[in-house]
Amino acid sequence: MFKLLNSYQLSYAYHGAFTSTLTDKILALSETNLDVESESLKIKKKVYFIIVESLQNLTRHKSTEIDLTDAESFFSIHKLKDGYLVGSANTIENDKILPLSEKLDKVNSLNQEDLKNYQHEVLSASGFSEKGGAGLGLIEMVRKSGNKLSYGFEKINEKNSYFYFQTKITDISANIGSNEITYNHQIIKTIHKVVHENNLKVFFQGQFKHENVKSLLSMAEISMYLTENFAFRKTAVSIMIELLQNIAFHAAGINNNDDRPGMFMVSNKGNVCSFITGNYVTDVKLAELSKKLEHVNSLNDIEITDLYLETLVLENDDSNNSAGLGFVDIRAKSKNKIELDIHPFSDDKKFVIIKANINY
Amino acid sequence: MTILKLDATEDTPYVFFDAQNGIFDISKRSLPENAIVFYEQLLIFINNYKSLPAPETKVNFHFDYLNTSSIKQLMKVILLFDQLATSTKVFVTWCYDKGDTDMFQTGQRFEKLTSLSFDYKEI
C-alpha cells in the first residue's frame, strides 16, 4: 500500500472530519513543510493559496447529510517533479452537481486574459452563490496554478455523489517536460479509494525535522479521528511523539546527513488504532533496533515496568536520546507488541516500518 | 539569581523556580528537540539551591505531555530533590489531568526510584 501511495508522490493526506481548527493545523503543517522543503517564495505562496482554497471548497460544497459527510471528506497534497498537486474529495448532493460543473467548465474554458475580465465581471456583479462563493476562488485557482482544474463525480446513491477535485501547481522554474501533461481527477480518485479501503486517517511523507513533527503532533491532538476518550487520546499522542521524534533523531539520511526522509500514517480498523512509521536506517543501527524490539516485545507488563525503571536511572545520555526508553514507553503504553518490518534499500541501509497498535 | 521563570512554548514547559520561598513549579508540555540542553539550566539552579535551601521546599509538577528524553532529564531533577530531602523537608505534588492514567503512572515510576513520597492530584 505504501508503495502504491508513493507512486502517486503523495506527501500528505487526511481522511475524516474537517473542522476549522483542523484546517488551520493542516495549513500550519503545509507551511512548515514547504519551508523545510525550501521551496521558492513564489511557489510556496501559490501552493499555500491553492491549499487554502481547496480546503474551503471541501467544506463549502460538501453534502449536508450528516451520516455521509464527515467521515468521507478527504484532502491530499502531492509533491511532483515539476510542482505540486492538491486534491480533495467530498460528498455532494446530486442536484448540486450541474451548477458546480457549469461553473468549473466555464472557468476552465477561459484563457488567462478572459479569466481576468471574467473576474472583474464577477466582482462587480457580486452575485454570491448560496454557499458563499462567487466563483472567485475557482478563477483565482486557475490563474495562480497556471493549470485547468480537474474534477469528476461518482455516484454514491440516489441523493449523493463523491466530488473529486484536483489542482496542479506547476513550478515554471523547474520546467521539466511540458505543461501539456494533463492530470485528470483519476489520481485523487485512486488515492481516495486506497485510503478509504485501508482505513487510513492520516498520511504524511516528507522531512521529519522538528518543526514538521511539532505540526503533525498539534494536528493529531485536535483531530477528530482520535476518539473522544481522553485517556486514549493521551496515549495515542504520547506514542506519536515517540515514534515521530524517533525518526527525527535516528533516521538515516539519503542525500545528506541532515536529511530525515520518512513517512507516517494512522489507520483505524475495528477497535485497533495503528501508528505506522517508515524511514531509512543504517544496517549498524538496525541490528541494535531489532534486538531492542525483540527484547521489549518478549516482556510481560510487570517486566516492562521493571525495564522502564531500570532504563530511567541508566547513566548514559551523551547524545540527545532517551537511552532506549522510547520503545519501552511505547510498549508499556500501547500494551501491544511493536511490529517491525524490514525492506531492502541499499548496501548499508534498509527501509524500516514500525507499527504500534492501541486497542480501544 | 533567586528566581528562574521560563514561559511555556509549543514544546518546552512553563518553569517557575523561587529559591527564596522554596517553590519549584514545572508544568505544561516537555518535548524539546534537545532535552539535555533545556534541562541543564534547571539542574544548575537546583544544584545551587541545594547549598542554601529554604526551610521547606515545595515541588509541583503538572504535565500535559512528556517525551522520553524529557523523562530522563526529569529523573535527574527529581533525584536532586531526593538528595535534598535527606536534610530538609521536601513536598512533591504530582498533578495530572483527570483521566490521564499514563501521566499518573509516570509519576508513580519516578516516586518508586526515590525515597520521596508524592502527593497525587487529579485535576
Coordinates of all heavy atoms in Angstrom, one line a residue, chain B residues 55-122:
Chain B
P55 N 13.6 26.6 54.3 CA 13.3 25.6 55.3 C 12.4 24.5 54.8 O 12.5 23.3 55.2 CB 12.6 26.4 56.4 CG 12.9 27.8 56.2 CD 13.3 28.0 54.8
E56 N 11.5 24.9 53.9 CA 10.6 23.9 53.3 C 10.7 24.0 51.8 O 10.7 25.2 51.3 CB 9.2 24.1 53.7 CG 8.9 23.4 55.0 CD 7.4 23.5 55.4 OE1 6.6 23.9 54.5 OE2 7.1 23.0 56.5
T57 N 10.7 22.9 51.0 CA 10.7 23.0 49.6 C 9.5 22.4 49.0 O 9.1 21.2 49.4 CB 12.0 22.3 49.0 OG1 13.1 22.9 49.6 CG2 12.0 22.4 47.5
K58 N 8.8 23.1 48.2 CA 7.6 22.6 47.6 C 7.8 22.5 46.0 O 8.0 23.4 45.4 CB 6.4 23.5 47.8 CG 5.9 23.4 49.3 CD 4.7 24.3 49.5 CE 4.3 24.2 51.0 NZ 3.8 25.4 51.6
V59 N 7.6 21.2 45.6 CA 7.8 20.9 44.2 C 6.5 20.5 43.6 O 5.8 19.6 44.1 CB 8.9 19.8 44.0 CG1 9.2 19.6 42.5 CG2 10.1 20.0 44.8
N60 N 6.1 21.2 42.5 CA 4.8 20.9 41.8 C 5.0 20.6 40.4 O 5.6 21.4 39.6 CB 3.9 22.1 41.9 CG 3.6 22.4 43.4 OD1 3.1 21.6 44.2 ND2 4.0 23.6 43.8
F61 N 4.6 19.4 40.0 CA 4.6 19.0 38.6 C 3.2 18.9 38.0 O 2.3 18.4 38.7 CB 5.3 17.7 38.4 CG 6.7 17.6 38.8 CD1 7.1 16.9 40.0 CD2 7.7 18.3 38.1 CE1 8.4 16.8 40.4 CE2 9.0 18.2 38.5 CZ 9.4 17.5 39.6
H62 N 3.0 19.4 36.8 CA 1.7 19.2 36.2 C 1.9 19.2 34.7 O 1.9 20.2 34.0 CB 0.7 20.2 36.6 CG -0.7 20.0 36.0 ND1 -1.8 20.8 36.2 CD2 -1.2 18.9 35.2 CE1 -2.8 20.3 35.5 NE2 -2.5 19.1 35.0
F63 N 2.1 18.0 34.2 CA 2.5 17.9 32.7 C 1.3 17.4 31.9 O 0.4 16.7 32.3 CB 3.6 16.9 32.5 CG 4.9 17.4 33.0 CD1 5.5 16.9 34.2 CD2 5.6 18.4 32.4 CE1 6.7 17.4 34.7 CE2 6.8 18.9 32.8 CZ 7.4 18.4 34.0
D64 N 1.4 17.9 30.7 CA 0.4 17.6 29.7 C 1.0 16.4 28.8 O 0.3 15.4 28.7 CB 0.3 18.9 28.8 CG -0.8 18.8 27.8 OD1 -1.6 17.9 27.9 OD2 -0.9 19.8 27.0
Y65 N 2.2 16.7 28.3 CA 2.9 15.6 27.6 C 4.4 15.7 27.9 O 4.9 16.7 28.1 CB 2.7 15.8 26.1 CG 1.3 15.4 25.6 CD1 0.5 16.4 25.2 CD2 0.9 14.1 25.5 CE1 -0.8 16.1 24.8 CE2 -0.3 13.8 25.1 CZ -1.2 14.8 24.7 OH -2.5 14.4 24.3
L66 N 5.0 14.5 27.9 CA 6.4 14.4 28.2 C 7.0 13.4 27.2 O 6.5 12.3 27.0 CB 6.7 13.8 29.6 CG 6.5 14.7 30.8 CD1 6.6 13.8 32.1 CD2 7.6 15.7 30.9
N67 N 8.0 13.8 26.5 CA 8.7 12.8 25.6 C 9.7 12.0 26.5 O 10.0 12.5 27.6 CB 9.3 13.4 24.4 CG 10.5 14.3 24.7 OD1 10.8 14.6 25.8 ND2 11.1 14.8 23.6
T68 N 10.2 10.9 26.0 CA 11.0 10.1 26.9 C 12.4 10.7 27.2 O 12.9 10.5 28.3 CB 11.2 8.7 26.4 OG1 11.6 8.7 25.0 CG2 10.0 7.8 26.5
S69 N 12.9 11.6 26.3 CA 14.1 12.2 26.6 C 14.0 13.3 27.7 O 14.9 13.5 28.5 CB 14.8 12.8 25.4 OG 14.0 13.4 24.5
S70 N 12.8 13.9 27.8 CA 12.5 14.8 28.9 C 12.3 14.0 30.2 O 12.8 14.4 31.3 CB 11.2 15.5 28.7 OG 11.3 16.4 27.6
I71 N 11.7 12.8 30.1 CA 11.5 12.0 31.3 C 12.9 11.6 31.9 O 13.1 11.7 33.1 CB 10.7 10.7 30.9 CG1 9.3 11.1 30.6 CG2 10.8 9.7 32.1 CD1 8.4 9.9 30.2
K72 N 13.8 11.3 31.0 CA 15.2 11.0 31.5 C 15.8 12.2 32.3 O 16.4 12.0 33.3 CB 16.1 10.7 30.3 CG 16.1 9.3 29.8 CD 16.7 8.3 30.8 CE 18.2 8.2 30.6 NZ 18.8 7.1 31.4
Q73 N 15.6 13.4 31.7 CA 16.2 14.6 32.4 C 15.4 14.9 33.7 O 16.0 15.4 34.7 CB 16.2 15.8 31.4 CG 17.0 15.6 30.2 CD 18.4 15.0 30.4 OE1 19.1 15.6 31.3 NE2 18.8 14.0 29.8
L74 N 14.1 14.7 33.6 CA 13.3 15.0 34.8 C 13.7 14.1 36.0 O 13.6 14.5 37.1 CB 11.8 14.8 34.4 CG 10.8 15.7 35.0 CD1 11.2 17.1 34.9 CD2 9.4 15.4 34.4
M75 N 14.1 12.9 35.6 CA 14.5 11.9 36.7 C 15.7 12.6 37.4 O 15.7 12.5 38.7 CB 15.0 10.6 36.0 CG 15.3 9.5 36.9 SD 13.9 8.9 37.8 CE 14.2 9.1 39.5
K76 N 16.6 13.2 36.7 CA 17.7 13.9 37.3 C 17.3 15.0 38.3 O 17.8 15.2 39.3 CB 18.7 14.5 36.3 CG 19.4 13.4 35.4 CD 20.4 14.1 34.5 CE 20.9 13.1 33.5 NZ 21.6 13.9 32.4
V77 N 16.3 15.7 37.8 CA 15.7 16.8 38.6 C 15.2 16.3 39.9 O 15.5 16.7 41.0 CB 14.6 17.6 37.8 CG1 13.8 18.5 38.7 CG2 15.2 18.3 36.6
I78 N 14.4 15.2 39.8 CA 13.8 14.6 41.0 C 14.8 14.0 41.9 O 14.7 14.1 43.1 CB 12.7 13.6 40.5 CG1 11.5 14.3 39.8 CG2 12.2 12.8 41.7 CD1 10.6 13.5 39.0
L79 N 15.8 13.4 41.3 CA 16.9 12.9 42.2 C 17.6 13.9 43.0 O 18.0 13.7 44.1 CB 17.9 12.0 41.4 CG 17.3 10.7 40.9 CD1 18.3 10.0 39.9 CD2 17.0 9.7 42.0
L80 N 17.7 15.1 42.5 CA 18.3 16.2 43.2 C 17.5 16.6 44.4 O 18.0 16.8 45.5 CB 18.5 17.5 42.4 CG 19.6 17.4 41.3 CD1 19.7 18.8 40.6 CD2 21.0 17.1 42.0
F81 N 16.1 16.6 44.2 CA 15.2 16.9 45.4 C 15.3 15.7 46.4 O 15.1 15.9 47.6 CB 13.8 17.2 44.9 CG 13.7 18.5 44.2 CD1 13.3 18.6 42.8 CD2 13.9 19.7 44.9 CE1 13.2 19.8 42.2 CE2 13.8 20.9 44.2 CZ 13.4 21.0 42.9
D82 N 15.5 14.5 45.9 CA 15.6 13.4 46.7 C 16.8 13.5 47.7 O 16.7 13.2 48.9 CB 15.7 12.1 45.8 CG 15.5 10.8 46.6 OD1 14.8 10.8 47.6 OD2 16.1 9.8 46.2
Q83 N 17.9 14.0 47.1 CA 19.1 14.2 47.9 C 18.8 15.3 48.9 O 19.2 15.2 50.1 CB 20.2 14.7 47.0 CG 20.8 13.5 46.1 CD 21.7 14.1 45.0 OE1 22.1 15.2 45.0 NE2 22.0 13.2 44.0
L84 N 18.1 16.4 48.5 CA 17.8 17.5 49.4 C 17.0 17.0 50.6 O 17.1 17.5 51.7 CB 17.1 18.6 48.6 CG 16.8 19.9 49.3 CD1 18.1 20.6 49.7 CD2 15.9 20.8 48.4
A85 N 16.1 16.1 50.3 CA 15.2 15.6 51.3 C 15.8 14.9 52.5 O 15.2 14.7 53.5 CB 14.1 14.7 50.7
T86 N 17.1 14.6 52.4 CA 17.8 14.0 53.5 C 18.1 15.0 54.6 O 18.4 14.7 55.7 CB 19.1 13.3 53.0 OG1 19.9 14.3 52.3 CG2 18.9 12.1 52.1
S87 N 18.2 16.3 54.1 CA 18.5 17.3 55.1 C 17.3 18.3 55.4 O 17.3 18.9 56.5 CB 19.7 18.1 54.7 OG 19.5 18.6 53.4
T88 N 16.4 18.5 54.5 CA 15.3 19.4 54.7 C 14.0 18.8 54.3 O 14.0 17.7 53.7 CB 15.4 20.8 54.0 OG1 15.4 20.5 52.6 CG2 16.7 21.5 54.4
K89 N 12.9 19.5 54.6 CA 11.6 19.0 54.2 C 11.3 19.3 52.7 O 11.4 20.4 52.2 CB 10.5 19.6 55.0 CG 10.3 18.9 56.3 CD 9.1 19.5 57.0 CE 9.0 18.9 58.4 NZ 8.0 19.6 59.2
V90 N 11.0 18.2 51.9 CA 10.6 18.4 50.5 C 9.2 17.8 50.3 O 9.0 16.6 50.6 CB 11.7 17.7 49.6 CG1 11.3 17.9 48.1 CG2 13.1 18.3 49.8
F91 N 8.3 18.6 49.7 CA 7.0 18.1 49.4 C 6.8 18.1 47.9 O 7.0 19.1 47.2 CB 5.9 19.0 50.0 CG 6.0 19.1 51.5 CD1 6.7 20.2 52.1 CD2 5.5 18.1 52.3 CE1 6.8 20.2 53.5 CE2 5.5 18.2 53.7 CZ 6.2 19.2 54.3
V92 N 6.5 16.9 47.4 CA 6.3 16.8 45.9 C 4.9 16.6 45.6 O 4.3 15.6 46.1 CB 7.2 15.7 45.3 CG1 7.0 15.6 43.8 CG2 8.7 15.9 45.6
T93 N 4.3 17.4 44.8 CA 2.9 17.2 44.3 C 3.0 16.9 42.8 O 3.5 17.6 42.0 CB 2.1 18.5 44.5 OG1 2.3 18.9 45.9 CG2 0.6 18.2 44.3
W94 N 2.4 15.8 42.5 CA 2.3 15.4 41.1 C 0.9 15.5 40.6 O 0.0 14.7 41.0 CB 2.8 13.9 41.0 CG 2.9 13.4 39.5 CD1 1.9 12.8 38.8 CD2 4.0 13.6 38.6 NE1 2.3 12.5 37.5 CE2 3.6 13.0 37.4 CE3 5.3 14.1 38.8 CZ2 4.4 13.0 36.3 CZ3 6.1 14.1 37.7 CH2 5.7 13.5 36.4
C95 N 0.6 16.5 39.8 CA -0.7 16.7 39.3 C -0.8 16.1 37.9 O 0.1 16.1 37.2 CB -1.0 18.2 39.2 SG -0.8 19.1 40.8
Y96 N -2.0 15.7 37.6 CA -2.2 15.2 36.2 C -3.7 15.4 35.9 O -4.6 15.5 36.7 CB -1.9 13.7 36.1 CG -2.7 12.8 37.1 CD1 -3.8 12.1 36.7 CD2 -2.2 12.6 38.4 CE1 -4.5 11.3 37.5 CE2 -2.9 11.8 39.3 CZ -4.1 11.2 38.8 OH -4.8 10.4 39.7
D97 N -3.9 15.6 34.6 CA -5.3 15.8 34.1 C -6.2 14.7 34.4 O -5.8 13.5 34.4 CB -5.3 16.1 32.6 CG -4.6 17.4 32.2 OD1 -4.5 18.2 33.1 OD2 -4.2 17.5 31.0
K98 N -7.4 15.0 34.7 CA -8.4 13.9 35.0 C -8.5 12.9 33.9 O -8.7 13.2 32.8 CB -9.8 14.6 35.2 CG -10.8 13.8 36.0 CD -12.0 14.6 36.3 CE -13.1 13.9 37.0 NZ -13.2 12.5 37.2
G99 N -8.3 11.6 34.3 CA -8.3 10.6 33.3 C -7.0 10.3 32.6 O -6.9 9.3 31.8
D100 N -6.0 11.0 32.9 CA -4.7 10.8 32.2 C -3.9 9.8 33.0 O -3.0 10.1 33.8 CB -3.9 12.1 32.1 CG -2.7 12.0 31.2 OD1 -2.4 10.9 30.8 OD2 -2.0 13.0 31.0
T101 N -4.3 8.5 32.8 CA -3.6 7.4 33.6 C -2.1 7.3 33.3 O -1.3 6.9 34.1 CB -4.3 6.1 33.4 OG1 -4.6 5.9 32.0 CG2 -5.6 6.0 34.1
D102 N -1.8 7.6 32.0 CA -0.4 7.5 31.6 C 0.5 8.4 32.5 O 1.6 8.0 33.0 CB -0.2 7.8 30.1 CG -0.7 6.8 29.2 OD1 -0.8 5.6 29.7 OD2 -0.9 7.1 28.0
M103 N 0.0 9.6 32.6 CA 0.8 10.6 33.4 C 0.8 10.3 34.9 O 1.8 10.5 35.5 CB 0.2 12.0 33.2 CG 1.2 13.2 33.5 SD 2.8 13.0 32.7 CE 2.4 13.6 31.0
F104 N -0.3 9.7 35.4 CA -0.3 9.3 36.8 C 0.8 8.2 37.0 O 1.6 8.2 37.9 CB -1.7 8.7 37.1 CG -1.8 8.0 38.4 CD1 -1.5 8.7 39.6 CD2 -2.2 6.7 38.5 CE1 -1.6 8.1 40.8 CE2 -2.3 6.1 39.7 CZ -2.0 6.8 40.9
Q105 N 0.8 7.2 36.0 CA 1.8 6.2 36.1 C 3.3 6.7 36.0 O 4.2 6.2 36.7 CB 1.6 5.1 35.0 CG 0.6 4.1 35.4 CD 0.2 3.2 34.3 OE1 0.8 3.3 33.2 NE2 -0.7 2.2 34.5
T106 N 3.5 7.7 35.2 CA 4.8 8.2 35.1 C 5.2 8.8 36.4 O 6.4 8.6 36.9 CB 4.8 9.4 34.0 OG1 4.4 8.8 32.8 CG2 6.2 9.9 33.8
G107 N 4.3 9.5 37.1 CA 4.6 10.0 38.5 C 5.0 8.9 39.4 O 6.0 8.9 40.2
Q108 N 4.2 7.8 39.4 CA 4.4 6.7 40.2 C 5.8 6.0 40.0 O 6.5 5.6 40.9 CB 3.4 5.6 40.0 CG 2.0 5.9 40.7 CD 1.1 4.8 40.6 OE1 0.9 4.2 39.5 NE2 0.4 4.5 41.6
R109 N 6.2 6.0 38.7 CA 7.5 5.4 38.4 C 8.6 6.3 39.0 O 9.6 5.7 39.5 CB 7.6 5.2 36.9 CG 6.8 4.1 36.4 CD 6.9 4.0 34.9 NE 5.9 2.9 34.5 CZ 5.2 2.9 33.3 NH1 5.4 4.0 32.5 NH2 4.4 2.0 33.0
F110 N 8.5 7.6 38.9 CA 9.5 8.5 39.4 C 9.6 8.2 40.9 O 10.7 8.1 41.5 CB 9.1 9.9 39.2 CG 9.5 10.4 37.8 CD1 8.6 11.2 37.0 CD2 10.7 10.2 37.2 CE1 8.9 11.6 35.8 CE2 11.1 10.7 36.0 CZ 10.1 11.4 35.2
E111 N 8.4 8.2 41.5 CA 8.4 8.1 43.0 C 9.1 6.8 43.5 O 9.8 6.8 44.4 CB 6.9 8.1 43.5 CG 6.8 8.1 45.0 CD 5.3 8.0 45.4 OE1 4.4 7.6 44.6 OE2 5.0 8.2 46.6
K112 N 8.8 5.7 42.8 CA 9.4 4.4 43.1 C 11.0 4.5 43.1 O 11.6 3.7 43.9 CB 9.0 3.4 42.0 CG 8.3 2.2 42.6 CD 8.0 1.2 41.5 CE 6.7 0.5 41.9 NZ 6.2 -0.4 40.8
L113 N 11.5 5.3 42.3 CA 13.0 5.4 42.2 C 13.6 6.4 43.2 O 14.8 6.7 43.2 CB 13.4 5.8 40.8 CG 13.1 4.7 39.8 CD1 13.2 5.2 38.4 CD2 14.0 3.5 39.9
T114 N 12.8 6.9 44.1 CA 13.3 7.9 45.1 C 12.8 7.5 46.5 O 12.0 6.5 46.6 CB 12.8 9.3 44.9 OG1 11.4 9.3 45.0 CG2 13.1 9.8 43.5
S115 N 13.2 8.2 47.5 CA 12.7 7.9 48.9 C 11.6 9.0 49.2 O 11.1 9.0 50.3 CB 13.8 7.9 49.9 OG 14.6 9.0 49.7
L116 N 11.3 9.8 48.2 CA 10.2 10.8 48.4 C 8.9 10.2 48.4 O 8.7 9.1 47.8 CB 10.3 11.9 47.3 CG 11.6 12.7 47.2 CD1 11.7 13.3 45.8 CD2 11.7 13.8 48.2
S117 N 7.9 10.9 49.0 CA 6.5 10.4 48.8 C 5.7 11.4 48.1 O 5.7 12.6 48.6 CB 5.9 9.9 50.1 OG 5.7 10.9 50.9
F118 N 5.2 11.1 46.9 CA 4.5 12.1 46.1 C 3.0 12.2 46.6 O 2.4 11.2 47.0 CB 4.4 11.6 44.6 CG 5.7 11.8 43.9 CD1 7.0 11.9 44.5 CD2 5.7 11.8 42.5 CE1 8.1 12.1 43.8 CE2 6.9 11.9 41.7 CZ 8.1 12.0 42.4
D119 N 2.5 13.4 46.5 CA 1.1 13.7 46.7 C 0.5 13.8 45.3 O 0.9 14.6 44.5 CB 1.0 15.0 47.5 CG -0.4 15.3 47.9 OD1 -1.2 14.4 47.9 OD2 -0.6 16.5 48.2
Y120 N -0.5 12.9 45.0 CA -1.1 12.9 43.7 C -2.4 13.7 43.7 O -3.2 13.6 44.6 CB -1.3 11.5 43.2 CG -0.1 10.7 43.0 CD1 0.5 9.9 44.0 CD2 0.6 10.9 41.8 CE1 1.7 9.3 43.8 CE2 1.8 10.2 41.6 CZ 2.3 9.4 42.6 OH 3.5 8.8 42.4
K121 N -2.5 14.5 42.6 CA -3.7 15.3 42.5 C -4.3 15.2 41.1 O -3.6 15.5 40.1 CB -3.4 16.8 42.8 CG -3.6 17.2 44.2 CD -3.6 18.7 44.4 CE -3.4 19.0 45.9 NZ -2.8 20.3 46.1
E122 N -5.5 14.7 41.0 CA -6.1 14.6 39.7 C -6.9 15.9 39.5 O -7.8 16.3 40.3 CB -7.1 13.4 39.6 CG -7.5 13.0 38.3 CD -8.3 11.7 38.3 OE1 -8.9 11.3 39.3 OE2 -8.4 11.1 37.2

